[in-house]
Amino acid sequence: MNRAIYPGSFDPVTLGHLDIIERSLAITDELIVGVLNNKTKNPLFSVEERVNMLKEVTGHLKHVTIQSFDGLLVDFAEQLQAKMIVRGLRAITDFEYELQMSQINHALNSNIDTVFLTTRLQYAYLSSSTVKEIAAMGGDVKKFVPQPVVGKLYEKYGMIR
Ligand code: COA
């Protein structure tokens, strides 16, 4: 069984993330989306909300499960017997950080490798922060996040749409 982890903050999940999740299934038998419970990042959505949104938007996908984690990613991977970490690369600006992360993770645990999927062009400019900024100012985020996330974003900013 080839099991992989797709880790991230997912605050909130975007269509870019969902695209990586769907395409990862071509290279792994089972994908665990690991939601980082990162106390230093001061997220808009609680870890439970982020996990639940991901469950809702991946409900149609077989072989995808959602779990939160804290601590080191390689320890979480080891615990789940996953040998592969999946990350999306949007632009060259992601590369340096991602290269460093993959090398650190490999140095921490040489059984675990990182594979990169390039983001589809239509999502190359997307990030959770930009989506939050647009929603906070009442802009239209339908093109950027899965449908169930749209209302939850406006709700956070006290807007009913
Ligand atoms: N589509 C759209 N947006 C994407 C994307 C895609 N395909 N891929 C990444 N992004 C965005 C995210 O939305 C996020 O945007 P934001 O900064 O505006 O919120 C940004 O790119 C990067 O976020 P994310 O992919 O969630 O990564 P991260 O940097 O928050 O976390 C972890 C990366 C979870 C893998 C990393 O922090 C980790 O492993 N932490 C655990 C501790 C550890 O083991 N550290 C390593 C040893 S020091």
Side-chain angles (χ1 to χ4, degrees), residues 72-134:
L72 287 178
L73 175 59
V74 287
D75 292 344
F76 179 57
E78 179 88 43
Q79 195 188 312
L80 297 170
Q81 296 177 314
K83 291 200 161 32
M84 185 161 76
I85 295 167
V86 175
R87 293 287 289 167
L89 278 182
R90 290 165 299 174
I92 195 74
T93 43
D94 283 345
F95 182 75
E96 214 168 316
Y97 170 71
E98 293 296 339
L99 182 69
Q100 185 192 22
M101 289 291 287
S102 73
Q103 287 168 338
I104 289 176
N105 285 331
H106 197 258
L108 288 169
N109 188 330
S110 59
N111 293 322
I112 299 168
D113 265 305
T114 304
V115 299
F116 297 103
L117 294 180
T118 51
T119 328
R120 278 207 246 166
L121 261 185
Q122 70 205 90
Y123 303 130
Y125 53 83
L126 255 188
S127 77
S128 298
S129 305
T130 50
V131 166
K132 283 182 279 194
E133 193 172 332
I134 295 166

